[in-house]
Amino acid sequence: MGEQLPVVSLFSGAGGLDLAVERADADPLSAADPGSGLLKVSVATDYNEPALDTLRANFDGATTVSGDIREVPTEQILATAGLRASEPVLVVGGPPCTPFSKSGFWLEQKRESRDPNASLLDEYVRVVRESRPEAFVLENVQGLTYTTHRAQFERLLKALGELGYNPQWKVLLAADYGVPQLRRRVFVVGRRDGEKFEFPDQTHSGWSERDRKIDTTKLPHVTAGEAFADLPTVLRVSEDEIVAGQYGELAAEVPPGQNYLWHTDRYGGRNHFEWRSRYWTFLLRLDPNRPSTTLQAQPGPWVGPFHWENVRATDGVERARRLRAAEMLRLMSFPDDFKIAGNRADVQRQLGNAVPLELGKAVIRALMVQLGYITEQSESRFAVG
């Protein structure tokens, strides 16, 4: 292995983009292939100590900086990694997406884009400006591109453009890159030399809530059933997996792929809810023949997606169940041996905020090819067909 290229990771969280960096040239959907080690995360930053614990548990010799990025100087970040300005090959990161997520729209200040955490975008720009990497990759929820947040998004692009990086952005669907999840994320990518970044072509195709056209020259979307196929059978049901409470019975009666609308006067369940009176994810069950919907970080007690199979609670009654850690790792295309401390909810919180590994790999790999660090010949092994 030659000298590894240094990468600075901001807002690292559970390490989805960090994994993508260090496995950028690994075979797609291969947990056994860690890649060549071309890139190395030299320093990872986050304000959440449990997230940094996850990073340390999964990245050998990880160097971390803990603290509010607004109070952490760029010089400290670089010094921790043993780097100077212009030495990082990449700066990567996804500023916390809560201000721009649909799940926060019930709060007036979020609807009006007045969330103070939105300033974290400016901190990302500050680190890029002061560290001068060869390129950067910023990831966020699709909501950042909505009209509600248009002023902030355009300010971000303008600031990065003024640095000479010619930022390009695109909303990508994770399922189009082999992730068994219909998760949309916006990526903003820029190069210090001002050359235009070209986003990678999708490798998979299938219908989603917005696109019913299928490209038959691509591989089909990976389904949840395929993702879970070889997971070991768990005989004992954990109490925190069971969907109980006020809507427990109703959840257990919802068929695979359906949600609370099953229990309206238009479908075959109980006539319990008004049509379109809840969010789509309310009582949502996975369809084993399709990719999962977006895995949420902090869902309410009756917010899915739940597994398509019921389980029997201790009282013998059938109940829907929440996804297990091993299943959530598969839906994020993370390695099976990825370690996250805590209970099932802790795992979901960290993974729900993370970048799906295969989606991140596709973007990082395309960038490294265009920068000349990966040859077109080595890239050809990722071609479909």
Side-chain angles (χ1 to χ4, degrees):
M1 182 189 300
E3 183 179 356
Q4 292 180 299
L5 304 174
V7 177
V8 171
S9 172
L10 308 176
F11 312 102
S12 305
L17 267 180
D18 301 58
L19 271 176
V21 161
E22 298 203 352
R23 298 184 175 217
D25 60 347
D27 285 331
L29 296 175
S30 173
D33 182 3
S36 68
L38 172 68
L39 295 167
K40 174 69 176 178
V41 175
S42 297
V43 59
T45 70
D46 208 283
Y47 73 96
N48 183 265
E49 198 61 36
L52 292 178
D53 288 340
T54 295
L55 280 165
R56 298 182 192 108
N58 293 282
F59 294 85
D60 291 338
T63 302
T64 60
V65 173
S66 176
D68 187 333
I69 192 67
R70 291 168 289 194
E71 300 173 1
V72 179
T74 305
E75 286 185 358
Q76 179 185 344
I77 297 172
L78 292 174
T80 302
L83 299 171
R84 293 175 296 181
S86 298
E87 289 186 339
V89 171
L90 302 179
V91 165
V92 302
C97 60
T98 305
F100 317 111
S101 174
K102 281 185 178 180
S103 61
F105 269 31
W106 67 83
L107 297 176
E108 183 178 356
Q109 68 172 8
K110 292 188 186 297
R111 287 198 305 270
E112 297 179 359
S113 200
R114 290 188 285 112
D115 193 297
N117 289 329
S119 67
L120 296 178
L121 293 173
D122 300 322
E123 299 302 322
Y124 187 100
V125 174
R126 182 256 300 178
V127 175
V128 170
R129 181 177 65 249
E130 296 175 357
S131 65
R132 297 296 297 168
E134 191 169 347
F136 70 83
V137 176
L138 183 150
E139 176 270 349
N140 216 291
V141 293
Q142 183 182 7
L144 177 58
T145 67
Y146 292 169
T147 302
T148 308
H149 307 296
R150 176 63 63 181
Q152 288 178 336
F153 190 47
E154 290 181 349
R155 188 178 77 243
L156 169 70
L157 297 176
K158 182 174 184 290
L160 292 167
E162 289 174 346
L163 298 179
Y165 279 85
N166 188 16
Q168 305 297 311
W169 69 274
K170 189 173 183 179
V171 174
L172 302 179
L173 178 64
D176 287 345
Y177 298 88
V179 180
Q181 188 179 166
L182 296 170
R183 186 185 188 98
R184 295 181 188 275
R185 288 296 184 271
V186 62
F187 284 82
V188 184
V189 183
R191 296 173 50 165
R192 189 174 61 202
D193 60 11
E195 291 293 320
K196 181 180 178 181
F197 172 71
E198 300 289 344
F199 281 90
D201 292 334
Q202 67 186 76
T203 55
H204 294 65
S205 182
W207 66 271
S208 67
E209 75 282 4
R210 300 179 190 179
D211 190 358
R212 298 303 173 100
K213 295 180 180 179
I214 298 177
D215 185 345
T216 56
T217 68
K218 309 294 184 184
L219 295 169
H221 281 168
V222 180
T223 68
E226 290 170 332
F228 296 171
D230 61 345
L231 287 176
T233 302
V234 177
L235 299 179
R236 184 176 179 181
V237 180
S238 173
E239 196 64 32
D240 64 358
E241 296 175 7
I242 297 173
V243 182
Q246 181 179 1
Y247 300 110
E249 288 186 19
L250 295 176
E253 296 171 5
V254 173
Q258 298 284 350
N259 61 3
Y260 79 97
L261 293 175
W262 179 255
H263 293 299
T264 65
D265 59 4
R266 302 194 188 189
Y267 284 93
R270 308 185 196 184
N271 186 9
H272 187 89
F273 298 104
E274 295 294 326
W275 183 254
R276 293 185 177 175
S277 60
R278 305 274 178 150
Y279 281 111
W280 176 258
T281 50
F282 195 77
L283 305 188
L284 179 64
R285 307 292 296 271
L286 284 179
D287 182 341
N289 298 313
R290 298 199 62 226
S292 169
T293 54
T294 299
L295 183 67
Q296 298 191 33
Q298 293 178 293
W302 301 291
V303 172
F306 304 127
H307 200 279
W308 58 84
E309 292 180 347
N310 286 334
V311 295
R312 289 198 179 275
T314 53
D315 59 4
V317 177
E318 280 202 351
R319 288 284 183 262
R321 75 163 174 86
R322 297 180 174 84
L323 298 175
R324 295 171 176 140
E327 293 163 343
M328 289 186 279
L329 286 170
R330 289 288 180 91
L331 293 183
M332 294 295 291
S333 62
F334 272 45
D336 288 344
D337 60 356
F338 195 83
K339 306 175 187 68
I340 299 180
N343 59 23
R344 197 208 64 80
D346 294 324
V347 174
Q348 180 156 358
R349 182 176 63 254
Q350 291 196 43
L351 289 179
N353 284 323
V355 180
L357 173 57
E358 291 299 326
L359 177 59
K361 277 171 57 179
V363 175
I364 300 290
R365 184 170 61 242
L367 177 57
M368 297 309 290
V369 167
Q370 292 169 44
L371 289 174
Y373 290 106
I374 298 176
T375 65
E376 294 290 349
Q377 287 76 18
S378 62
E379 173 71 0
S380 67
R381 68 190 173 118
F382 301 107
V384 177

